Amino acid sequence: MLLPAKAEVARQLRRYRAWERVMLAAPNDRTVRTTFEDSGYTLCVLMGKRCAREAADAAERYLRTNQVAYLEEQQITCLQEQHVTCLQEPVERPRPAAAVRRRPPAAERRSPAAERRSPAAERRSTAGR
C-alpha cells in the first residue's frame, strides 16, 4: 500500500481542523461548509477512508507512528472488519428460485399483424387452405 508523505498529511489535517472550527462558528455559511467538506474529502482520499472523521483519526495515528507500525495496524483493522463481516453472514446463502419463463414458446406466439386481423379476415385466410 502506498502512503502519502507525512508533511502532506499534516498539512491537510491542519487545513481540515481549521475549516472545522470555522464551520462550527458559522454553520449556515455555504462557502465555509463547502470548503470544509472539500478539505474532508481530500483527507479521505489521502488516507483511504470513507468518512472524514475516520480519515482525520487515521491521519493523526499515521503522524504519531512510523509507516511500518501504521501499515500493521491498518492490516489488523482490515482483518478484524472482514472477520466481523464473515461472522454476520449466514452460513448457507439462499439459492435463487428457478428461472421463470417470461413469454410463451415460439409456436404459441402471434405476430402483431396477426393480432390486428379481423375475425373475418382470419376465416378467409384459413378457408383457402
Side-chain angles (χ1 to χ4, degrees):
M1 175 177 166
L2 292 176
L3 293 173
K6 284 195 171 194
E8 183 64 21
V9 172
R11 188 173 76 82
Q12 291 298 331
L13 182 60
R14 281 193 309 272
R15 181 175 181 255
Y16 174 78
R17 293 295 185 204
W19 281 109
E20 182 180 39
R21 287 189 296 275
V22 174
M23 204 274 303
L24 289 172
N28 295 331
D29 188 344
R30 288 185 181 205
T31 306
V32 170
R33 181 176 290 277
T34 301
T35 309
F36 169 66
E37 289 173 354
D38 287 347
S39 67
Y41 176 77
T42 303
L43 203 56
C44 286
V45 171
L46 270 176
M47 301 310 298
K49 300 294 181 183
R50 292 183 178 187
C51 170
R53 288 189 188 277
E54 289 177 12
D57 291 342
E60 288 171 350
R61 280 193 311 275
Y62 176 58
L63 294 172
R64 274 196 310 263
T65 62
N66 63 13
Q67 290 181 350
V68 175
Y70 178 78
L71 285 173
E72 288 174 353
E73 180 183 310
Q74 290 299 320
Q75 187 176 14
I76 290 170
T77 303
C78 187
L79 289 173
Q80 288 172 342
E81 289 173 358
Q82 288 176 355
H83 181 68
V84 168
T85 304
C86 290
L87 291 176
Q88 292 173 348
E89 290 180 5
V91 176
E92 185 177 325
R93 294 184 181 180
R95 297 179 186 253
V100 177
R101 291 183 67 159
R102 296 181 187 241
R103 47 192 262 196
E108 296 176 16
R109 274 188 250 143
R110 298 181 67 189
S111 69
E115 291 177 6
R116 284 191 297 244
R117 284 191 215 162
S118 66
E122 189 68 34
R123 282 192 296 263
R124 282 186 299 228
S125 67
T126 56
R129 290 185 192 163

